[in-house]
C-alpha cells in the first residue's frame, strides 16, 4: 500500500514539474525566443516522457522543426532520427 501511494505521488510530482517546464517553454515562445522555446520543449519530452506535458511539448516540436526556427541550420541525420 505504501509503495503504491509513493509511486502515485511521484507521478503527480513529475507531472507538476513537467508542467512548470512546459510553462517555461511557453514563456520563451510568447516572447518569440523560438530557439530557447525549442530547447525547453525538448527537455520536457526527454525528461518527462510519460506526462501530459510531454505530449503537448511533442506536438509543438512536431509543428516547429528546429530547421524552421533557426534559418540556415543543418541538422545531422543522427539528430533527425532521435525525433
Amino acid at each position: 500500500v505504501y509503495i503504491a501511494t509513493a509511486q502515485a505521488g511521484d507521478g503527480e510530482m513529475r507531472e507538476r514539474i513537467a508542467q512548470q517546464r512546459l510553462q517555461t517553454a511557453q514563456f520563451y515562445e510568447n516572447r518569440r525566443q523560438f530557439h530557447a522555446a525549442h530547447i525547453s520543449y525538448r527537455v520536457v519530452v526527454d525528461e518527462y516522457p510519460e506526462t501530459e506535458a510531454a505530449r503537448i511539448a511533442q506536438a509543438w516540436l512536431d509543428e516547429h522543426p528546429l530547421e524552421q526556427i533557426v534559418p540556415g541550420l543543418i541538422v545531422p541525420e543522427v539528430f533527425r532520427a532521435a525525433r
Side-chain angles (χ1 to χ4, degrees):
V1 175
Y2 296 114
I3 293 172
T5 302
Q7 288 173 338
D10 185 48
E12 291 171 14
M13 182 172 47
R14 287 183 56 78
E15 183 66 50
R16 258 185 273 148
I17 294 168
Q19 286 293 332
Q20 291 171 345
R21 299 280 171 91
L22 182 65
Q23 289 174 350
T24 299
Q26 292 166 336
F27 170 86
Y28 287 124
E29 180 184 1
N30 291 335
R31 279 146 188 82
R32 303 186 61 77
Q33 299 293 319
F34 297 117
H35 191 216
H38 195 281
I39 292 168
S40 296
Y41 281 116
R42 174 58 51 202
V43 166
V44 174
V45 170
D46 291 347
E47 298 294 322
Y48 307 96
E50 75 284 1
T51 65
E52 176 65 15
R55 187 191 62 74
I56 294 167
Q58 186 61 59
W60 189 92
L61 289 168
D62 291 344
E63 291 179 23
H64 303 87
L66 191 55
E67 304 90 355
Q68 189 178 17
I69 292 171
V70 182
L73 180 69
I74 299 172
V75 178
E77 191 60 38
V78 66
F79 293 114
R80 291 176 193 272
R83 288 194 238 163

